[in-house]
Amino acid sequence: MASQHSTSAKGWQEKVAKKRLSCQKAVPTAWALPQSVLDSLPALSEFSTTRLDLIAKDIPRVSGILTERELDITESHDVSSLLAGLASGTFTSAEVTLAFSKRAAIAHQLTNCLTETFFSQAEERARYLDDLRSKGKPLGPLHGLPISLKDTYQVEGTQACIGAVALLDKTSTENSAMVDLLLDLGAVLYVKTNVSQVLMCVESDNNVFGRTLNPWNTSLTAGGSSGGEGALVAFRGSPLGVGTDLAGSVRIPSLCCGTYGFKPSSRRLPYGRQVMPLNVGIGAIVPSAGALANDMSALQIFMRAVIDANPFSYDATVVDVPWRRNHDSSRPKLRLGLLPEDPLFPLHPPVRETIKNAVNILKSHGHEVVLLDAADCHVAALNQIGGRLLELDQTPAHIIASSGEPAVPSMAMFAKYYARIGWDFIAPEITTMDRLEQFGALQNQRAGIAESWRKLWAKHNLDAIVSPSAQSTAMEHDHQGWPAYSMLLNMLDYPACVIPFGRATHNGTDLAADLGHGTPAYKPDVVEGAPCSIQVFTSGMRDEECLAVAAVIDTCLKTTAAP
């Protein structure tokens, strides 16, 4: 493989330069930020450490690119009200699509969140949908709604290089299963978004497109691997983004960028015909498609619409289970577990404070919260097993090496965080086995822990569990750390929802500290103001219950001021 595709350093750089130029030309010049706006901002680039709150700057309004009506469409409406407006004729799909296309173009110029753009095709699609609506023939429940896609999803005639130079020679000749389904539901697809280099990191940075910046604080990461989606949705350049999640790739951008994010159980949503840097025959950890949005109801609308569309008819990997509307979502008062802090993955003070405040609010609403025993949760063990399983698949490294491009710095730092964790849960003899024997032994250990978790659910009779989304908030670029509290749930194949809640603050008593292991160093002044969050999860295939409970919790958090 390497000898066939290997190029000189100059060769890969020329490919990157050509690709970046084509991306730049795809953004209409009428949507370029005025020089006066650019002059008012510090110089921003993927190498910049400038701290800037792009959202507070209100650049879409200041720039004059969006009309007042377009600003209202993108800022004052959630997915539910957009769909209602599209259905009633209050909005046309053409104007909604144009509004979000303009805002996405502005977001990209500031945060570098996009990869492929197809604005003119989206405009044509929107006009077609408006014509169908005028004839009383709406396509489906998402009729006329713009939806953004992670770069992994194939859209015929565009590229899906997943941040790898080696894949820049390929153009998609077919749509991913999810893309076909969304089009049949009436959605308008208009942009794809930036990712980690071959999806294997929690920072969205690669040699092809560069680094995505966090719109709340440009000195912090937007997360990964769906970081482009996180930045775009947070900037309100998309009402709903579709990503993927292997070890937190939807939830980490959500926690970093202050959005809602949902990872379903694997195989609930179509995943087929995506570009993936994995040997699917190994299938060590089965990833999930998932969604990011600025409100909880958007996640519920998306899940219902996709599963009601019989996704098995689009993708053989889907479990053919209808969306359960009459599920027993919860008792009048919830019985919730609280996942404790794992000793190998200590929490930053803002995360610890966020969890404490959320628990106090939930208790004030009459919900019961049961602190679980760290020894019963096996967070570190499942993370070590997951890391070792991923190491068995060398496909990502081969893809990077085959073009001659180097690994980006975030990849090296991610490996450094993994290496410094004090792992001691896997029997040493496993490391001496051949790869197939290792795979079997690791999966056996994983199955044993899954059985322990089954007993834990039964023992405590829980509706759901509240946990940290990660050890930290969004961190400085290249320093997000190991995704312990998100990978846990991929290893168990549990659905999980990230709920934004509050901002990082410190009262002067929290000192900077290197907490060791897989947790990045805590720097209170650096993360001041970063979005905080909690994570809510249930047991496998209880996606309906997970979202229902998360909605109850979200309402409690929004209607009660944090202490």
Side-chain angles (χ1 to χ4, degrees):
M1 183 175 181
S3 60
Q4 182 180 355
H5 298 287
S6 180
T7 59
S8 66
K10 183 179 179 181
W12 76 259
Q13 290 171 337
E14 287 175 347
K15 286 185 175 183
V16 166
K18 182 179 178 182
K19 179 62 177 177
R20 291 195 181 191
L21 181 61
S22 70
C23 292
Q24 182 180 345
K25 289 181 176 178
V27 177
T29 54
W31 301 349
L33 288 170
Q35 191 59 46
S36 59
V37 172
L38 296 175
D39 289 343
S40 70
L41 302 173
L44 292 176
S45 77
E46 60 189 279
F47 307 108
S48 173
T49 58
T50 301
R51 180 189 180 119
L52 184 64
D53 184 342
L54 295 169
I55 294 175
K57 292 286 186 181
D58 201 12
I59 295 170
R61 179 170 277 99
V62 173
S63 70
I65 294 171
L66 277 75
T67 66
E68 283 299 320
R69 183 168 171 85
E70 290 166 344
L71 288 167
D72 177 71
I73 287 171
T74 56
E75 293 177 355
S76 303
H77 296 275
D78 60 18
V79 167
S80 178
S81 64
L82 285 173
L83 289 172
L86 287 163
S88 67
T90 302
F91 304 131
T92 66
S93 179
E95 66 176 336
V96 173
T97 298
L98 179 60
F100 280 103
S101 294
K102 285 183 176 182
R103 198 169 182 114
I106 295 171
H108 177 59
Q109 292 172 75
L110 296 169
T111 68
N112 195 38
C113 57
L114 304 182
T115 56
E116 308 295 314
T117 58
F118 23 96
F119 297 125
S120 60
Q121 296 94 319
E123 181 183 357
E124 182 180 351
R125 161 83 171 172
R127 289 198 304 267
Y128 164 72
L129 292 171
D130 286 336
D131 182 58
L132 287 182
R133 175 77 72 186
S134 69
K135 297 174 181 176
K137 300 178 180 179
L139 267 188
L142 302 181
H143 187 102
L145 182 72
I147 292 179
S148 54
L149 298 167
K150 186 176 182 176
D151 194 64
T152 55
Y153 290 95
Q154 294 197 82
V155 176
E156 185 179 359
T158 69
Q159 291 189 314
C161 74
I162 60 171
V165 176
L167 302 182
L168 280 175
D169 295 328
K170 300 187 178 188
T171 298
S172 296
T173 59
E174 62 178 350
N175 291 335
S176 295
M178 177 67 82
V179 169
D180 281 337
L181 190 151
L182 291 174
L183 291 172
D184 287 348
L185 290 176
V188 179
L189 308 178
Y190 63 119
V191 293
K192 297 209 298 176
T193 53
N194 203 16
V195 296
S196 310
Q197 187 177 34
V198 296
L199 315 182
M200 289 290 112
C201 195
V202 291
E203 169 106 22
S204 289
D205 183 22
N206 57 77
N207 290 314
V208 179
F209 302 107
R211 188 194 305 276
T212 296
L213 305 179
N214 190 319
W216 291 106
N217 180 343
T218 53
S219 71
L220 302 181
T221 177
S225 62
S226 308
E229 284 298 333
L232 181 64
V233 170
F235 199 82
R236 302 194 74 89
S238 171
L240 180 65
V242 183
T244 64
D245 195 307
L246 176 73
S249 295
V250 162
R251 291 161 291 150
I252 294 167
S254 295
L255 75 91
C256 288
C257 297
T259 75
Y260 293 80
F262 183 60
K263 179 204 82 71
S265 306
S266 67
R267 295 182 289 270
R268 281 304 300 266
L269 299 183
Y271 203 88
R273 301 195 297 279
Q274 287 189 70
V275 175
M276 283 286 127
L278 302 170
N279 183 333
V280 295
I282 294 177
I285 304 174
V286 181
S288 305
L292 301 88
N294 284 310
D295 63 285
M296 180 67 72
S297 67
L299 304 178
Q300 297 169 316
I301 289 168
F302 171 76
M303 288 295 295
R304 283 197 301 267
V306 172
I307 292 180
D308 281 349
N310 188 22
F312 178 75
S313 65
Y314 293 81
D315 184 358
T317 67
V318 173
V319 176
D320 196 7
V321 177
W323 186 257
R324 293 177 287 111
R325 281 170 171 73
N326 298 319
H327 58 86
D328 178 18
S329 60
S330 68
R331 301 167 249 245
K333 295 299 180 182
L334 298 170
R335 182 172 167 83
L336 302 167
L338 176 61
L339 188 80
E341 182 174 348
D342 187 274
L344 273 188
F345 300 103
L347 304 181
H348 281 192
V351 176
R352 194 178 295 120
E353 187 71 11
T354 297
I355 295 292
K356 183 182 78 172
N357 289 341
V359 167
N360 287 340
I361 289 173
L362 291 170
K363 287 180 177 179
S364 75
H365 282 263
H367 302 299
E368 186 179 2
V369 181
V370 179
L371 178 63
L372 305 179
D373 189 325
D376 292 337
C377 298
H378 305 283
V379 172
L382 279 173
N383 272 271
Q384 185 181 15
I385 294 168
R388 292 303 298 268
L389 284 170
L390 290 175
E391 284 181 323
L392 294 177
D393 189 349
Q394 295 298 305
T395 307
H398 291 159
I399 292 174
I400 294 172
S402 67
S403 69
E405 67 168 312
V408 295
S410 56
M411 295 280 278
M413 286 302 301
F414 192 55
K416 179 180 177 181
Y417 277 115
Y418 177 71
R420 75 174 189 167
I421 299 169
W423 303 117
D424 61 358
F425 302 96
I426 293 178
E429 60 268 19
I430 290 180
T431 60
T432 65
M433 299 176 179
D434 64 34
R435 293 174 67 206
L436 180 59
E437 290 176 321
Q438 281 192 55
F439 182 81
L442 292 168
Q443 292 287 41
N444 283 337
Q445 289 195 343
R446 178 186 187 180
I449 296 175
E451 172 62 13
S452 296
W453 265 92
R454 181 195 66 77
K455 294 176 181 177
L456 186 150
W457 286 103
K459 174 183 176 182
H460 295 289
N461 191 25
L462 302 173
D463 291 300
I465 294 174
V466 174
S467 81
S469 304
Q471 303 94 294
S472 67
T473 61
M475 293 301 299
E476 294 170 286
H477 295 295
D478 303 331
H479 288 277
Q480 189 60 33
W482 183 257
Y485 295 98
S486 55
M487 176 175 268
L488 164 74
L489 304 175
N490 296 88
M491 291 297 291
L492 292 167
D493 198 6
Y494 288 175
C497 185
V498 165
I499 301 173
F501 178 51
R503 295 302 175 102
T505 60
H506 69 96
N507 56 17
T509 60
D510 294 330
L511 302 178
D514 185 353
L515 303 179
H517 302 300
T519 297
Y522 174 57
K523 301 178 182 179
D525 293 334
V526 171
V527 301
E528 175 81 19
C532 294
S533 65
I534 65 168
Q535 183 173 221
V536 177
F537 63 91
T538 56
S539 56
M541 294 300 289
R542 296 179 67 83
D543 303 79
E544 294 87 342
E545 288 84 352
C546 185
L547 281 177
V549 171
V552 171
I553 292 173
D554 183 47
T555 299
C556 291
L557 299 183
K558 288 194 295 190
T559 55
T560 307

